[in-house]
Amino acid sequence: MKKNSSLTVLFLVGLIVACSKFPSNSCDVNKPCYTQAPDSLFVELQLTPQSEQDTIFVSFYEGNVDDGELLTTFTTSFDREYFYVPVRKRFSASARYKRGDNFYTAVDGQYISVKSSTNCEQTCYNWDERVLDLKLKVDEEE
Amino acid sequence: MFTFARINVKYTPMIFKKEEGSKRIPAFTFVLALLSIACSSVHAQSFFIRNPLESMGPQPHLSISGEVYANTKDVLLDFGIGIDDVGYDYTARLNFAFRPYTKIVLTEIEDMEWRQYFERLYIISLDLEKRFNFMLFGENNRFGPYLASKFGYFLSDYRGMSKHPNRGFKIIPAAGLGIQFDHSTFSLGYLFLNNGKDNLNGMLQFKYAFTFYKTNT
C-alpha cells in the first residue's frame, strides 16, 4: 500500500509538472509576429434578426451594462455590427428583441486584452477573438 | 473620451437547425453498474451484513476527492481535500467546484420581459458526508448508501454585468450509493444544486475519493 501511495504522489507531481507553463526560447520564422502593440481593435457584435424587417435595439457601453458608460444606442436588422475600440478596456452591449408578446434582452461583455510573447528574440503582440455574442438562444432552439 | 467607429455589414440571414433531442441515460443504469461492480467483487469473496451505524472508533485520515455532477443542461467539476474518518464512516472536506464552460441563462425579470446572460459559476464549499456501509466484503471493502451536504458559497458571474443576483450561501444536499475498495471510494447519487428557478437543479453525482492511510498487510 505504501507503494500505491508513492505512485499516487508521483502521478500528481507529474500532472502538475506537465500542466506547468515554462518559458520557451523557441524560434519559428514562419510564425506571424506583430511587433507593434495595437491601440485599438475591432469588436464584433453578433445578432439574430429573424428577417430584414426585424428591428433590434442595441446599446453599447464602456464598462458593464448595469454601471458602465453608454456610448451609443441604435436599431439594426443586420446580424453583425462592428466597433473600433481602444484596447485594455472592458466593453459590453445589450440587444433587445421582440418575439411574440415577449421582450428578450441579450447581454454580453468582454475585456479587450492584448498579450505579448517572444519569438526569435522579438516581442510579438497577439489578441483573442473579440466577439460580443448577442444572439438570442431561444431563436436557435425554435 | 475616445472615438469609436461602427461599421455595418450586409445582412445575411442565419439559419438554425433544431437539434434532435439527446437520449437520456437513466441514473438507474449507473446504479446497476455500481451494483454489478460490487457483486462481481463479492462473488469469490466472503461478505457479511453489518449494522451501518456501528463504528470502529475514530480513524481520521487525509483524503482527496474528484467529483462530477451533471444533468442534461449543466456540468460541474469539483475537487476537495479534507478528512475521511474510516472508523465512523464520515468525511469533511473543503471543496472547490466550477463549471468548465460559460452557460447561457434565461431569466424572466418581470412579466414578458426576459434577460439572457452568460453565466460562469464557482462554488467554494464545506462538504460533509456520512456513509451507512451495511455490507463488508473482501479484506477491507464496504458498500452502502450515503447522505451528504455541501455548505457552499456560490460565486456566479454574468458577462457584461457588475451585479450578480445568483451569489450567496446555499446548501446542496445529496444522497446515493458508495462502494469502498481500500483507499478508493466510488459514489454515485443524486444532488440538488439549488442554483435558482432558471436552472435544472436535479443532478447526477459521481465522486471518486482517495484516502491516505496504511493498511495492516
Side-chain angles (χ1 to χ4, degrees):
Chain A
M1 279 307 125
K2 195 175 178 181
K3 194 181 170 187
N4 254 354
S5 299
S6 307
L7 279 173
T8 308
V9 171
L10 200 68
F11 172 74
L12 289 174
V13 170
L15 200 69
I16 291 164
V17 170
C19 295
S20 303
K21 199 178 175 182
F22 293 103
S24 66
N25 296 320
S26 64
C27 179
D28 183 358
V29 288
N30 295 320
K31 197 176 170 183
C33 178
Y34 301 97
T35 53
Q36 199 169 353
D39 294 327
S40 298
L41 290 167
F42 281 101
V43 174
E44 183 181 298
L45 274 61
Q46 293 182 345
L47 304 152
T48 45
Q50 280 190 327
S51 67
E52 287 189 53
Q53 284 73 45
D54 189 12
T55 307
I56 306 161
F57 187 79
V58 179
S59 301
F60 189 65
Y61 301 83
E62 183 188 340
N64 290 311
V65 164
D66 52 348
D67 65 354
E69 184 190 347
L70 180 64
L71 299 175
T72 185
T73 57
F74 58 94
T75 54
T76 184
S77 54
F78 295 132
D79 65 348
R80 282 179 176 81
E81 294 280 353
Y82 293 90
F83 285 96
Y84 192 60
V85 295
V87 298
R88 296 191 180 89
K89 283 176 185 283
R90 180 173 294 281
F91 291 93
S92 308
S94 65
R96 189 172 159 85
Y97 300 83
K98 189 172 189 301
R99 295 287 181 267
D101 293 331
N102 292 304
F103 288 95
Y104 294 90
T105 305
V107 176
D108 197 10
Q110 202 181 81
Y111 182 77
I112 312 300
S113 61
V114 176
K115 295 166 191 165
S116 65
S117 59
T118 306
N119 187 33
C120 305
E121 294 177 355
Q122 265 193 320
T123 303
C124 304
Y125 295 93
N126 46 66
W127 43 89
D128 295 328
E129 192 183 18
R130 301 156 316 282
V131 172
L132 299 187
D133 187 352
L134 302 171
K135 292 187 296 231
L136 202 56
K137 301 305 163 189
V138 287
D139 285 352
E140 295 178 35
E141 286 164 9
E142 274 174 7
Chain B
M1 185 66 186
F2 57 87
T3 54
F4 60 93
R6 177 188 159 211
I7 296 158
N8 287 344
V9 290
K10 196 183 169 188
Y11 171 78
T12 49
M14 298 183 83
I15 301 162
F16 297 106
K17 285 182 183 172
K18 190 181 177 183
E19 285 180 16
E20 286 182 20
S22 56
K23 286 180 183 174
R24 291 182 183 186
I25 303 166
F28 186 65
T29 313
F30 288 100
V31 176
L32 274 179
L34 205 66
L35 281 170
S36 346
I37 293 168
C39 293
S40 62
S41 307
V42 165
H43 184 65
Q45 302 170 349
S46 60
F47 72 95
F48 63 92
I49 304 298
R50 68 154 193 162
N51 177 4
L53 298 173
E54 192 179 277
S55 77
M56 292 181 283
Q59 295 174 42
H61 299 285
L62 179 70
S63 172
I64 54 171
S65 67
E67 195 175 331
V68 178
Y69 25 102
N71 56 30
T72 53
K73 306 272 182 190
D74 211 352
V75 177
L76 274 98
L77 303 178
D78 193 320
F79 298 95
I81 185 163
I83 292 166
D84 183 358
D85 191 319
V86 293
Y88 284 111
D89 278 338
Y90 78 86
T91 59
R93 287 192 198 97
L94 192 65
N95 281 49
F96 174 71
F98 65 97
R99 185 186 283 140
Y101 64 100
T102 311
K103 188 189 173 192
I104 297 161
V105 177
L106 200 62
T107 307
E108 189 171 18
I109 52 167
E110 54 188 78
D111 196 27
M112 292 190 291
E113 187 72 46
W114 296 78
R115 283 277 168 88
Q116 176 185 290
Y117 298 113
F118 286 92
E119 187 192 59
R120 287 177 285 234
L121 180 62
Y122 310 94
I123 306 168
I124 298 165
S125 64
L126 173 69
D127 287 27
L128 301 177
E129 180 186 283
K130 170 67 185 160
R131 296 181 298 274
F132 301 95
N133 290 322
F134 64 87
M135 194 167 90
L136 301 183
F137 59 96
E139 283 185 13
N140 201 17
N141 306 325
R142 305 161 190 205
F143 177 77
Y146 69 89
L147 281 176
S149 190
K150 292 172 181 290
F151 300 90
Y153 189 78
F154 277 56
L155 285 159
S156 68
D157 178 13
Y158 290 159
R159 249 165 41 186
M161 297 288 288
S162 62
K163 295 190 181 90
H164 316 291
N166 208 15
R167 284 190 173 186
F169 280 103
K170 288 176 187 178
I171 296 173
I172 309 164
L177 291 170
I179 186 162
Q180 206 171 327
F181 299 104
D182 273 342
H183 299 261
S184 296
T185 307
F186 297 91
S187 308
L188 186 75
Y190 173 84
L191 178 141
F192 185 79
L193 188 64
N194 196 12
N195 191 25
K197 64 181 172 60
D198 302 310
N199 289 292
L200 186 60
N201 287 310
M203 300 184 108
L204 194 70
Q205 177 189 37
F206 176 72
K207 181 160 63 180
Y208 171 74
F210 187 88
T211 306
F212 295 89
Y213 65 90
K214 287 179 184 174
T215 47
N216 301 320
T217 52

